[in-house]
Amino acid sequence: MPRKRVDDFVVGLVVIAATVVIVGSTLWVQQVDFRQRESPVEARFRDVGNATVGGVVVVRGVKSGRISGIELGDDGWVRVRMRMDEGVKLPGDATVLLGQASLFGEWQATIVERSALPPNPDVRRQIAEASGERGTLPGAILPDVAQLTAVAGRIADDMASLADRVQTAFDDSAASELRSSIRDVAEMSSVLAETVRRQSRNLDAITSDVGSGVHALSDAAATVQRVAERIDSSTASGQVRSVVDNAAAASAELRDAAASLRVLSDRLSVSQSRLDTLLVSSHSLVAKLDSGNGSLGLLVNDPSLYQQTDSLMRQLRALLTDFQANPKRYIRLRIF
């Protein structure tokens, strides 16, 4: 074989080998696995930061795919296409978060449920704005390390300013006031301790009183129990039944007495009405006598008639006396 043809063959093999190495390296860097079947997933973002094609897609902390494409749409949304490994199941109500995977600038896409989103109002706002398109997952970008470093720097500046203000406010007078406050707190603590000791003694006395009350209640309960036992025994021996029967008989007699009293009250009512009628008649009779009407009224009101009557009575008595003394003067008996 000619020398030139051998050189061309060697050059061709080197070119082919270099091409194979480059393609293999590229595929290895992108971790392309021809044995797996991949399913496409698309998400939309307002901004994707420094995310690039070939970035890792993580589901529940496991690498489950790669970013296969990033393009800016006509509507202003950035479309990110991802290739998920075969058999990977996305969580329900899934969202996509883009953020740094390490301090070396590598970015990754993390698919999480909406309920597992971080409590960052900006992230939640981005997810809410990207929601609503059918077949596309809403996405948001997480704050990167630079932003976090800037925020931490601002926080450090604020802490330094606060420390300066505290140092300025905490002068000798403030220290004196603080020592005075500490002494006041110590005195208050001693007063509280003394109060607690006194209240403890009071509580001991109250506990003793409560114990006495409990004993008294126990004695009362025993007395009630004895009374209940007596009532039970009385019930068993028929004494309570006898008392109930006597009470029933007394109640019946009281009802009869009440009925008799009602009858007597009715009779008294009738008698009272008759007495009222009699009193009215007597009043009328007395009024007539007082007015001098009739013989009896004249007899009562005429003094001359009274005198004549008195004289007549004296004469009658004298006649009766004379009759008793001399009956023959008035009676003559002849017997044939």
Side-chain angles (χ1 to χ4, degrees):
M1 180 179 294
R3 178 69 179 176
K4 183 179 180 181
R5 190 172 293 181
V6 173
D7 294 337
D8 293 338
F9 179 74
V10 172
V11 172
L13 288 177
V14 172
V15 172
I16 293 173
T19 303
V20 171
V21 170
I22 293 173
V23 172
S25 299
T26 303
L27 295 177
W28 179 78
V29 170
Q30 296 183 357
Q31 297 183 1
V32 177
D33 190 356
F34 296 100
R35 296 173 298 175
Q36 294 183 350
R37 296 180 181 178
E38 300 176 340
S39 57
V41 175
E42 184 174 321
R44 66 173 184 168
F45 300 81
R46 282 298 184 187
D47 189 2
V48 294
N50 295 327
T52 58
V53 177
V56 178
V57 179
V58 178
V59 178
R60 296 188 176 91
V62 180
K63 295 180 180 180
S64 303
R66 289 281 177 176
I67 298 176
S68 60
I70 300 176
E71 61 181 11
L72 180 62
D74 296 335
D75 53 359
W77 290 96
V78 180
R79 307 283 174 169
V80 176
R81 295 187 300 274
M82 295 167 285
R83 292 286 181 178
M84 307 302 299
D85 295 341
E86 183 181 7
V88 175
K89 293 183 179 179
L90 299 181
D93 197 10
T95 59
V96 183
L97 299 177
L98 291 177
Q100 287 187 348
S102 64
L103 297 177
F104 299 101
E106 298 178 358
W107 283 58
Q108 69 179 16
T110 304
I111 299 178
V112 297
E113 295 182 0
R114 189 182 295 266
S115 59
L117 290 173
N120 190 317
D122 184 61
V123 173
R124 293 182 178 272
R125 179 185 57 78
Q126 295 180 51
I127 292 296
E129 291 178 354
S131 301
E133 184 174 343
R134 186 179 182 84
T136 303
L137 301 181
I141 183 172
L142 295 174
D144 56 9
V145 177
Q147 294 177 346
L148 294 177
T149 304
V151 172
R154 289 196 298 270
I155 293 175
D157 294 337
D158 294 338
M159 292 297 295
S161 177
L162 180 61
D164 292 338
R165 292 179 181 178
V166 170
Q167 186 175 3
T168 301
F170 195 75
D171 52 4
D172 294 337
S173 62
S176 177
E177 292 177 358
L178 181 59
R179 286 193 295 271
S180 177
S181 299
I182 292 174
R183 285 195 299 270
D184 294 340
V185 170
E187 293 177 359
M188 186 182 298
S189 299
S190 62
V191 172
L192 287 176
E194 181 63 24
T195 304
V196 168
R197 286 193 293 271
R198 292 179 181 176
Q199 294 300 326
S200 178
R201 290 193 292 269
N202 294 333
L203 286 176
D204 293 337
I206 292 173
T207 303
S208 178
D209 295 339
V210 170
S212 301
V214 170
H215 289 305
L217 287 176
S218 179
D219 296 338
T223 303
V224 171
Q225 185 176 4
R226 288 195 297 270
V227 171
E229 291 176 354
R230 291 178 182 177
I231 292 174
D232 189 15
S233 61
S234 299
T235 305
S237 61
Q239 294 179 1
V240 174
R241 182 63 182 176
S242 177
V243 171
V244 172
D245 293 338
N246 293 334
S251 177
E253 292 178 358
L254 286 175
R255 284 196 296 270
D256 295 338
S260 301
L261 287 175
R262 283 196 295 271
V263 173
L264 181 60
S265 177
D266 295 337
R267 292 179 180 178
L268 286 175
S269 299
V270 175
S271 299
Q272 182 180 2
S273 62
R274 292 178 179 177
L275 181 60
D276 291 339
T277 304
L278 179 61
L279 289 175
V280 172
S281 301
S282 300
H283 180 72
S284 177
L285 178 61
V286 170
K288 289 180 180 180
L289 289 175
D290 186 60
S291 62
N293 295 326
S295 301
L296 188 60
L298 292 174
L299 181 63
V300 172
N301 295 311
D302 190 0
S304 62
L305 180 60
Y306 169 75
Q307 294 173 359
Q308 291 176 4
T309 303
D310 183 60
S311 176
L312 178 61
M313 292 299 296
R314 284 196 299 271
Q315 291 177 4
L316 286 175
R317 282 196 296 271
L319 179 61
L320 182 59
T321 302
D322 184 61
F323 178 78
Q324 290 176 352
N326 302 302
K328 294 181 180 181
R329 183 184 297 178
Y330 299 97
I331 299 175
R332 294 180 180 181
L333 293 176
R334 291 181 182 182
I335 299 173
F336 297 95

